[in-house]
Amino acid sequence: SYVLTQPPSVSVAPGQTARITCGGNNIGSKSVHWYQQKPGQAPVLVVYDDSDRPSGIPERFSGSNSGNTATLTISRVEAGDEADYYCQVWDSSSDQNVVFGGGTKLTVL
Amino acid sequence: QVELVESGGGLVKPGGSLRLSCAASGFTFSDYYMNWIRQAPGKGLEWVSYISSSGTAIYYADSVKGRFTISRDNARSSLYLQMNSLRAEDTAVYYCARLDTAMVKYWGQGTLVTVSS
């Protein structure tokens, strides 16, 4: 089955840019979706189809996807962005279609 | 507005059974694939199962195959997960979630299942 690899943690100072990666074999050929999860809450979709934002998500959240790596970029990081972030793809090559990365804890210093 | 409300979680002994329910509202339930996704304490998200809009296509994660059964009642706008032969490693918050073109756009708040003697 398809495997997505994320770094366990990323740290960034307020106002700086955070980049969270999601690695997978030829992930650039798939659509990648990103979720934010704060403690005790359900996940929230923040980026879909590599780089689109649902309504209500700040423009500070953006995404890219090429080759073997997809990236979630959070510009002008705020304290409220501290959360776990998960990437997800649809793997049509198996019956385990919905695949999540292991998650990345974003810490705002 | 879309709302997904899970129920049925609780404490169960290893080997026991539990049935989770999810009540959906705010959209035409019969138009959408639906998922169960779980999260063990302190761990990441794990997809469990999904069911097509009509209920004719069903898939399970290998970790639950043969023990869990997903079903839906479109007339009642409800999703279910029958969990049998429960193990300690099934302890998790279980989320009901709507599948929108391969992404999970809407999530419930989750229901906690604890498997312990």
Side-chain angles (χ1 to χ4, degrees):
Chain A
S1 59
Y2 195 76
V3 176
L4 295 174
T5 302
Q6 296 182 238
S9 62
V10 168
S11 298
V12 64
Q16 300 303 303
T17 297
R19 294 179 178 85
I20 298 172
T21 59
C22 177
N25 184 33
N26 197 26
I27 195 173
S29 66
K30 301 180 184 300
S31 289
V32 179
H33 318 296
W34 291 91
Y35 305 88
Q36 175 194 69
Q37 186 181 35
K38 296 182 179 179
Q41 298 182 19
V44 173
L45 181 70
V46 293
V47 167
Y48 67 96
D49 289 348
D50 298 338
S51 59
D52 291 332
R53 280 185 314 277
S55 60
I57 300 300
E59 292 183 8
R60 300 185 298 103
F61 288 81
S62 62
S64 62
N65 184 18
S66 179
N68 292 317
T69 304
T71 303
L72 174 69
T73 301
I74 309 172
S75 303
R76 301 181 300 282
V77 167
E78 303 173 356
D81 298 331
E82 186 162 289
D84 294 324
Y85 291 84
Y86 296 89
C87 57
Q88 177 252 315
V89 300
W90 179 272
D91 178 25
S92 56
S93 66
S94 79
D95 61 356
Q96 313 286 292
N97 298 119
V98 182
V99 181
F100 288 99
T104 298
K105 169 67 176 178
L106 175 66
T107 298
V108 181
L109 300 171
Chain B
Q1 68 284 13
V2 173
E3 191 171 19
L4 301 169
V5 179
E6 304 93 339
S7 60
L11 175 63
V12 61
K13 289 182 168 54
S17 298
L18 213 55
R19 189 193 195 210
L20 305 183
S21 300
C22 171
S25 60
F27 65 101
T28 304
F29 182 73
S30 58
D31 284 349
Y32 291 89
Y33 281 44
M34 296 296 296
N35 289 277
W36 288 100
I37 295 165
R38 70 184 180 184
Q39 187 171 34
K43 302 296 185 183
L45 300 171
E46 180 189 15
W47 169 76
V48 173
S49 179
Y50 79 76
I51 184 169
S52 65
S53 52
S54 64
T56 54
I58 288 174
Y59 293 93
Y60 298 99
D62 288 341
S63 57
V64 307
K65 204 173 289 183
R67 301 187 299 122
F68 289 12
T69 302
I70 191 172
S71 62
R72 66 190 296 160
D73 184 337
N74 285 344
R76 296 178 183 269
S77 296
S78 293
L79 177 71
Y80 306 101
L81 186 68
Q82 177 67 42
M83 303 186 295
N84 299 330
S85 303
L86 282 162
R87 307 166 179 167
E89 54 265 35
D90 295 319
T91 293
V93 173
Y94 285 73
Y95 293 102
C96 167
R98 194 180 94 176
L99 198 58
D100 287 56
T101 319
M103 65 180 168
V104 183
K105 191 170 182 182
Y106 296 100
W107 303 67
Q109 282 306 301
T111 186
L112 176 63
V113 172
T114 303
V115 184
S116 175
S117 54

